[in-house]
C-alpha cells in the first residue's frame, strides 16, 4: 500500500494513525492523559505531524515507574503476549501486545526480510543472546509467515552453530555483530573454509556496526550483510532495515514515527543533523508510546534512495545520549548495575568502573569495584562466594555475562 501512495497520502495516513493513538492513550492511560493536561492540550488539537513536538518526551524511567501495567491502553484480557526488558532501575520494563499488534509486527519483520532478499526458499537460522530472546521469537514468526524454513533461536556453542550452518544448509543468519565476528574468527582459527557453507546473507541486529566491519565480514564469510535497527520497548526488531543500496536504514514510519532531537534541549534538530532518535508508535494498540527517547544517535538522510522506497531513511550512529552500554546487542543501564550492587553488597554508594570487554570469546560486562568496609571480610572464601553469587544474579537480571574484579580503594 505504501508504494502506491503519494507523499501527501502517506502523511495523511500517518496523521490519522497518530490521532487514533493519541486519543486511545488519552482515554485509557492516566500517565498520558495527565501529561496532555499539564500542557493544556487535548488530542484533537494535534492536527498535523508537526504538532507532535508540542507533547512532552518520555524515557525508560517512565516504563519502570509505571511497572507493571500502568502504561497499557487495553484491558489485560486483550493482551496475548508480554515482553520484559531489564529497564534502568529496580523494576524491569514491560510491554504488551494484542493479537492485532502481533500481526502488524509480523508484517514489518516480513517486510525487512524480503528487502534483504529472503524468500520462501531460504533457511533462516537465528542466533541471539538470551537478552534478545524476544527478538528471536519475532524473527521466527516473520520467517515462518513468509514460508521460509526457520531454525529457531537456541543457545548453541560456536562449534555446534557452525555445524548447524553447514549441515542444515542455512542461507540466512540473523545474529549480533559480536557473535558474527566470533563465528568468523572461530572458522578461520580451525581452518574451516567459508565455501563449506550455503550462507548467502547475514542480518546484524542489536547495535550499530561500521562499514569497515561490514566489509570485513562480507569478504571473509562470502556473504551480503544487512543491518536492522530494533528496540525492545517499541516493540522489537526490524523497526528499520537496510535496502539493496546499503546506505542508511529505512524506518517503518507508516507504523513508527521518528524524530531527531537535540538531547540537551529536547527540540527537533535541522534535517540531516545528528541527534537523539525519538519514536512514537502509530499502530500499537496495547502499549502506545509517545515521543519515546531511545538514547540512540541518528540523523535523517534526505538523498533519494536507489530502491525508491517511500519510507524515511536514517543513519544509525555509534554514539549514545544516555549511560547505556551495549553488550552483544543488549543495552545495559549503568545506573541499574550500581543500584543492584548497592542492594546485593550492602554498599551505600558503590565506587566502580563499568565497561565492555571480550572474555573467552564472549562479550562481558566488566565491573571494577573498589573495596570498602561493607565488603571487608577475614574469610577470603566468603568474599569470593559473595562476588560469584553477585555476578550470577546480576547476569540473570541484565541478560549478559558479568565479571566483577575487586580493587583497592584509592
Amino acid at each position: 500500500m505504501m508504494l502506491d501512495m503519494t507523499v501527501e497520502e502517506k502523511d495523511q495516513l500517518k496523521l490519522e494513525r497518530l490521532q487514533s493513538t493519541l486519543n486511545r492513550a488519552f482515554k485509557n492511560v492516566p500517565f498520558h492523559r495527565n501529561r496532555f493536561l499539564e500542557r493544556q492540550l487535548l488530542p484533537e488539537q494535534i492536527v498535523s505531524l508537526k504538532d507532535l513536538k508540542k507533547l512532552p518526551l518520555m524515557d525508560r524511567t517512565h516504563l519502570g515507574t509505571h511497572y507493571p501495567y500502568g502504561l497499557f491502553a487495553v484491558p489485560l484480557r486483550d493482551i496475548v503476549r508480554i515482553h520484559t526488558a531489564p529497564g534502568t532501575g529496580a523494576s524491569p520494563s514491560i510491554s504488551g501486545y494484542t493479537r492485532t499488534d502481533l500481526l502488524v509486527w509480523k508484517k514489518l519483520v516480513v517486510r525487512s526480510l524480503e528487502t534483504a532478499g529472503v524468500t520462501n526458499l531460504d533457511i533462516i537460522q537465528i542466533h541471539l543472546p538470551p537478552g534478545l530472546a524476544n527478538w528471536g521469537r519475532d524473527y521466527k514468526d516473520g520467517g515462518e509467515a513468509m514460508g521460509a524454513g526457520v531454525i529457531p533461536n537456541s543457545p548453541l556453542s560456536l562449534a555446534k552453530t557452525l555445524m548447524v550452518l553447514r549441515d542444515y544448509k542455512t542461507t540466512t543468519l540473523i545474529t549480533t555483530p559480536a557473535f558474527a565476528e566470533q563465528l568468523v574468527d572461530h572458522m578461520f582459527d580451525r581452518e574451516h573454509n567459508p565455501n563449506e557453507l550455503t550462507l548467502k546473507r547475514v542480518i546484524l541486529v542489536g547495535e550499530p556496526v561500521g562499514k569497515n566491519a561490514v566489509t570485513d565480514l562480507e569478504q571473509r564469510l562470502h556473504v551480503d550483510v544487512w543491518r536492522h535497527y530494533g528496540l525492545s520497548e517499541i516493540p522489537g526488531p526490524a523497526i528499520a532495515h537496510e535496502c539493496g543500496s546499503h546506505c542508511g536504514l529505512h524506518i517503518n514510519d507508516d507504523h513508527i514515527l521518528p524524530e531527531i532531537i537535540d538531547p540537551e534541549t529536547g527540540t527537533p534538530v535541522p534535517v540531516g543533523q545528528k541527534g537523539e532518535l525519538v519514536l512514537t508508535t502509530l499502530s500499537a494498540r496495547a502499549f502506545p508510546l509517545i515521543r519515546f527517547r531511545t538514547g540512540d544517535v541518528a540523523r535523517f538522510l534526505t538523498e533519494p534512495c536507489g530502491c525508491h522506497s517511500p519510507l524515511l531513511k536514517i543513519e544509525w550512529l555509534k554514539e549514545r545520549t544516555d549511560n547505556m552500554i551495549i553488550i552483544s546487542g543488549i543495552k545495559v543501564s549503568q545506573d541499574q548495575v550500581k543500584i543492584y550492587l548497592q542492594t546485593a553488597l550492602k554498599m551505600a554508594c558503590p565506587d566502580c568502573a563499568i565497561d565492555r570487554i571480550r572474555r573467552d570469546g564472549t562479550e562481558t560486562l566488566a565491573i571494577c569495584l573498589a573495596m570498602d568496609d561493607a565488603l571487608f571480610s577475614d574469610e577470603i572464601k566468603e568474599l569470593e562466594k559473595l562476588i560469584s553469587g553477585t555476578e550470577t544474579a546480576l547476569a540473570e537480571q541484565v541478560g549478559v555475562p558479568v565479571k566483577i574484579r575487586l580493587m583497592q580503594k584509592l
Side-chain angles (χ1 to χ4, degrees):
M1 180 173 66
M2 285 284 294
L3 294 176
D4 300 327
M5 285 186 172
T6 64
V7 173
E8 292 75 17
E9 290 172 336
K10 178 186 169 189
D11 286 345
Q12 182 61 31
L13 172 65
K14 290 193 288 187
L15 178 59
E16 290 173 0
R17 287 178 172 175
L18 174 63
Q19 290 171 330
S20 176
T21 294
L22 297 180
N23 276 292
R24 185 166 56 255
F26 182 85
K27 179 180 178 181
N28 299 313
V29 184
F31 168 76
H32 290 304
R33 179 185 182 88
N34 290 337
R35 284 158 65 82
F36 266 94
L37 298 179
E38 287 170 3
R39 294 289 181 98
Q40 297 182 332
L41 280 172
L42 294 174
E44 52 264 32
Q45 292 175 275
I46 306 300
V47 296
S48 75
L49 295 176
K50 293 181 180 180
D51 288 338
L52 186 61
K53 64 184 179 183
K54 297 179 181 179
L55 299 174
L57 298 159
M58 63 183 301
D59 56 40
R60 289 180 175 84
T61 61
H62 296 119
L63 306 187
T65 54
H66 292 82
Y67 170 88
Y69 301 132
L71 296 179
F72 282 26
V74 299
L76 288 180
R77 64 175 178 272
D78 294 336
I79 301 294
V80 296
R81 183 185 294 177
I82 295 174
H83 284 181
T84 62
T88 58
S91 300
S93 60
I94 301 293
S95 55
Y97 305 83
T98 65
R99 292 188 184 280
T100 300
D101 291 334
L102 293 181
L103 288 174
V104 169
W105 197 246
K106 188 183 296 184
K107 290 179 181 178
L108 296 187
V109 174
V110 169
R111 177 189 287 179
S112 70
L113 293 175
E114 289 179 339
T115 303
V118 180
T119 72
N120 61 351
L121 300 179
D122 281 291
I123 297 176
I124 302 171
Q125 184 170 338
I126 304 166
H127 191 289
L128 297 173
L132 294 179
N134 291 330
W135 290 21
R137 186 183 301 111
D138 291 333
Y139 276 116
K140 179 188 77 70
D141 291 347
E144 290 174 348
M146 64 189 303
V150 180
I151 303 170
N153 194 34
S154 57
L156 298 177
S157 66
L158 280 165
K160 289 189 176 180
T161 297
L162 180 58
M163 183 185 300
V164 172
L165 280 169
R166 183 186 63 237
D167 295 347
Y168 287 59
K169 300 188 184 302
T170 298
T171 60
T172 303
L173 174 64
I174 300 175
T175 191
T176 63
F179 184 79
E181 182 181 343
Q182 293 170 38
L183 179 66
V184 173
D185 289 344
H186 173 85
M187 290 179 60
F188 277 74
D189 288 345
R190 287 155 182 77
E191 299 184 359
H192 290 290
N193 194 303
N195 292 326
E196 298 174 15
L197 305 179
T198 318
L199 201 60
K200 297 179 180 178
R201 65 187 68 82
V202 174
I203 296 174
L204 299 179
V205 306
E207 61 183 296
V209 56
K211 289 185 178 180
N212 290 340
V214 167
T215 299
D216 181 68
L217 185 60
E218 288 180 331
Q219 291 178 348
R220 297 179 71 192
L221 203 52
H222 306 168
V223 296
D224 292 325
V225 172
W226 305 77
R227 291 172 281 194
H228 285 184
Y229 171 78
L231 203 68
S232 295
E233 293 84 1
I234 36 177
I239 288 174
H241 56 268
E242 271 192 309
C243 67
S245 297
H246 295 282
C247 184
L249 291 85
H250 290 285
I251 192 163
N252 292 301
D253 61 309
D254 52 337
H255 292 280
I256 301 170
L257 191 64
E259 302 174 76
I260 307 290
I261 66 165
D262 183 323
E264 299 297 327
T265 66
T267 58
V269 302
V271 175
Q273 184 174 317
K274 72 178 182 179
E276 183 176 2
L277 180 63
V278 171
L279 300 175
T280 297
T281 57
L282 298 181
S283 54
R285 299 190 61 82
F287 199 70
L289 292 181
I290 300 168
R291 305 198 75 199
F292 181 79
R293 301 184 66 156
T294 66
D296 295 306
V297 175
R299 69 183 184 96
F300 285 123
L301 300 176
T302 57
E303 299 83 1
C305 187
C307 75
H308 306 295
S309 170
L311 300 173
L312 289 174
K313 194 161 65 170
I314 63 170
E315 181 184 11
W316 182 21
L317 304 171
K318 289 190 175 183
E319 304 133 271
R320 295 199 61 78
T321 63
D322 55 24
N323 69 348
M324 292 277 194
I325 295 179
I326 301 180
I327 301 175
S328 294
I330 300 168
K331 296 182 180 73
V332 178
S333 166
Q334 295 189 56
D335 290 339
Q336 183 188 34
V337 170
K338 291 178 180 179
I339 289 172
Y340 186 86
L341 293 176
Q342 182 177 351
T343 303
L345 302 178
K346 297 180 174 59
M347 303 177 71
C349 184
D351 181 9
C352 61
I354 302 172
D355 202 356
R356 176 177 72 170
I357 64 169
R358 179 70 64 81
R359 182 169 177 258
D360 298 330
T362 302
E363 288 199 328
T364 300
L365 177 67
I367 303 171
C368 196
L369 181 63
M371 291 280 289
D372 68 2
D373 292 341
L375 281 179
F376 182 77
S377 173
D378 290 331
E379 295 290 338
I380 298 299
K381 288 185 178 180
E382 288 300 316
L383 180 57
E384 291 176 344
K385 182 179 179 181
L386 175 63
I387 295 301
S388 176
T390 301
E391 288 175 341
T392 301
L394 182 56
E396 290 178 357
Q397 181 163 339
V398 299
V400 299
V402 175
K403 179 62 179 176
I404 299 176
R405 182 170 66 88
L406 297 177
M407 65 178 182
Q408 186 176 2
K409 193 169 185 178
L410 300 177

